[in-house]
């Protein structure tokens, strides 16, 4: 079959012939007429499924837009053109779910929350020519943001045939700031952004104004809004979704979790985290070299992690060279026989050198007098004093003034270097799949959801499921933290 005769082309012709507006969807080929909101088929599919025998499963599916705004139903372009779109061979149905809790116990009944599995659907709720998409990136940088933006564009444009895709500049404020212009995304301007670190669209903290943002969405006729950001951003995305539902707008609000800190609940890992941990190895290796090359050498590396120590923990485990790992979740004391300083002295005596990794949020109780709760960034995050510099000064002072021992301490702070680089291969892969999953789910008419990887499966998570859980922290009773203690052999620095 000639490409011009493909189903996509036919859909496109039909759409153009009807002036591309939502109201003209009635002119487009439809599989069934699902525009009546009282149609029982609009019900959340999860309610129609029978419970699994002998199991306590809790299905949590995101809403379908057709439950608050009229939608059509169209065949996926992959369905009617299998020779071009192999994806049509692997449709995912709304009966496929992903279990959150997969570790069982022989004496316990199986029970788990259960989310919808992401993937292309056989039928879609947006005619591709009626889609006007917006993509926004908020919060701190993270490797892979550009890969996500580019793949959302590519999936919308090249797989579904969507023409109008815009980037919102500099985070939430970009929706409404008069001095900022939306960026029309094209093959040309996104072609190589995945090779660059940072955000091609720009990002920012603060600037969340619900009314102005949803007014902008409504005034500009955006009907798919992809929001890439961390916990704060996702909380904002849920508010936008709720307001969209309140106004009964046919808009799919989609979250893609982003944070370098990997502290988002439920999901296996956030994109960019692997890359950051890998880049942190370079700093740790430098610290090892410096410390080993000096008499009584100490290498001190500060890594990101304002409220959680995942980067420090994984970087420590990956390096196998770290003697002490300090994270926000575990308090420590400096002085005394159980203190950090005495332990450093014992390491120098035993090994001649030592390497310390400290997460930026560690030891805040030691710095509590310096924490000024009124000093916050635009998103309300507390500006914290520098634990790395504090430790450096205290260690040098203690050895010089109290122990009277000559040491060489090299302090390495790669903070922004680990997040400003492009994503590594495994993160690039994840970014691509997250973006594709996000687009497939939005095209299928879901709204108010976040895409995440759960037990290696790409899943559609209702936004409130993430927002209600907030940021997670390292569990100091977990096997992972116990592995850190086993690898470093560090003691408990608590009195
Ligand atoms: N509770 C919230 N409700 C609405 N918007 C929020 C909330 N918290 C943060 N935001 C907005 O989300 C964006 C990013 O938040 P921030 O905390 O800086 O980064 P991250 O999303 O990575 O956690 C900012 O524009 C901020 O104004
Ligand atoms: O200096 P900035 O840009 O505020 O970013 C620093 C902070 O951002 C973080 O990386 C987390 O923020 P995000 O969740 O936005 O990625 C922290 O670990 C770090 O303290
Ligand atoms: Mg945050």
């Amino acid at each position: 079959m000639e490409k011009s005769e493909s189903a996509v082309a036919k859909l496109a012709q039909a759409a153009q012939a009807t002036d591309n507006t939502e109201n003209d969807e009635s002119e487009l080929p439809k599989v069934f007429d699902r525009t009546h909101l009282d149609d029982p088929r609009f019900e959340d599919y999860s309610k129609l499924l029978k419970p699994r025998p002998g199991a306590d499963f809790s299905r949590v599916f995101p809403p379908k837009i057709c439950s608050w705004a009229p939608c059509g139903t169209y065949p996926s372009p992959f369905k009617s053109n299998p020779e071009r779109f192999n994806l049509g061979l692997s449709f995912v149905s709304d009966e496929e779910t992903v279990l959150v809790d997969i570790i069982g116990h022989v004496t316990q009944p199986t029970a788990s929350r259960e989310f919808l599995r992401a993937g292309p659907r056989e039928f879609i709720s947006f005619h591709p020519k009626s889609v006007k998409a917006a993509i926004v990136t908020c919060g701190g940088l993270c490797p892979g943001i550009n890969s996500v933006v580019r793949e959302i564009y590519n999936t919308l444009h090249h797989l579904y045939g969507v023409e109008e895709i815009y980037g919102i500049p500099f985070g939430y404020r970009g929706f409404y700031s008069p001095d900022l212009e939306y960026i029309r995304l094209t093959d040309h301007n996104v072609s190589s952004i995945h090779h660059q670190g940072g955000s091609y669209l720009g990002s920012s903290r603060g600037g969340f104004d619900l009314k102005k943002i949803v007014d902008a969405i409504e005034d500009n006729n955006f009907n798919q809004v992809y929001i890439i950001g961390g916990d704060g951003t996702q909380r904002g995305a849920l508010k936008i979704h709720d307001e969209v539902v309140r106004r009964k707008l046919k808009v799919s609000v989609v979250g893609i979790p982003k944070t370098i800190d990997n502290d988002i609940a439920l999901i296996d890992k956030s994109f960019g985290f692997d890359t950051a941990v890998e880049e942190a190895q370079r700093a740790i290796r430098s610290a090892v070299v410096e410390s080993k090359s000096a008499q009584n050498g100490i290498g001190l590396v500060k890594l990101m992690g304002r409220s959680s120590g995942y980067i420090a923990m994984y970087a420590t485990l990956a390096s196998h060279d770290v003697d002490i790992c300090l994270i926000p979740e575990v308090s420590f004391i400096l002085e005394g026989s159980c203190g950090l300083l005495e332990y450093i002295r014992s390491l120098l005596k035993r090994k001649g050198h030592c390497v310390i990794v400290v997460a930026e949020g560690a030891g805040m109780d030691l710095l509590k007098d310096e924490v000024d709760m009124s000093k916050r960034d635009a998103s309300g995050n507390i500006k914290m004093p520098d634990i790395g510099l504090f430790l450096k000064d205290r260690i040098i002072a203690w050895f010089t003034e109290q122990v009277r021992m000559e040491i060489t301490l090299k302090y390495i702070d790669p903070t922004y270097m680990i997040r400003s680089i492009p994503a590594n291969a495994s993160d690039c892969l994840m970014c691509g799949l997250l973006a594709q999953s996000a687009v497939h789910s939005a095209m299928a008419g879901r709204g108010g959801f976040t895409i995440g990887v759960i037990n290696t499966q790409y899943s559609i998570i209702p936004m409130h499921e993430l927002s209600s859980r907030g940021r997670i922290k390292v569990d100091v009773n977990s096997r992972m933290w116990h592995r850190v203690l086993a690898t470093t052999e560090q003691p408990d620095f608590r009195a």
Side-chain angles (χ1 to χ4, degrees), residues 138-140 172 204-208 229-236 239 258 378-379 381:
C138 310
Y172 279 133
S204 68
R205 300 197 187 274
F208 184 84
D231 61 314
T233 307
Q234 299 304 326
R235 262 193 279 275
K239 290 177 187 168
K258 170 250 43 147
S379 290
N381 302 303

Side-chain angles (χ1 to χ4, degrees), residues 139-140 205 258-261 304-306 360 416 419:
R205 300 197 187 274
K258 170 250 43 147
T259 175
I260 195 83
D261 289 343
M304 278 195 164
R306 200 186 335 235
E360 71 177 295
Y416 293 107
R419 76 172 193 188

Side-chain angles (χ1 to χ4, degrees), residues 220 229 246 281 304 446 465:
N220 288 284
R246 199 187 65 77
Q281 301 305 302
M304 278 195 164
R446 297 276 171 186
E465 285 284 317

Side-chain angles (χ1 to χ4, degrees), residues 371-377 382-383:
V371 178
D372 181 348
M373 298 299 277
S374 65
K375 280 195 184 157
R376 291 174 185 255
D377 70 17
I382 297 165
K383 290 193 172 172

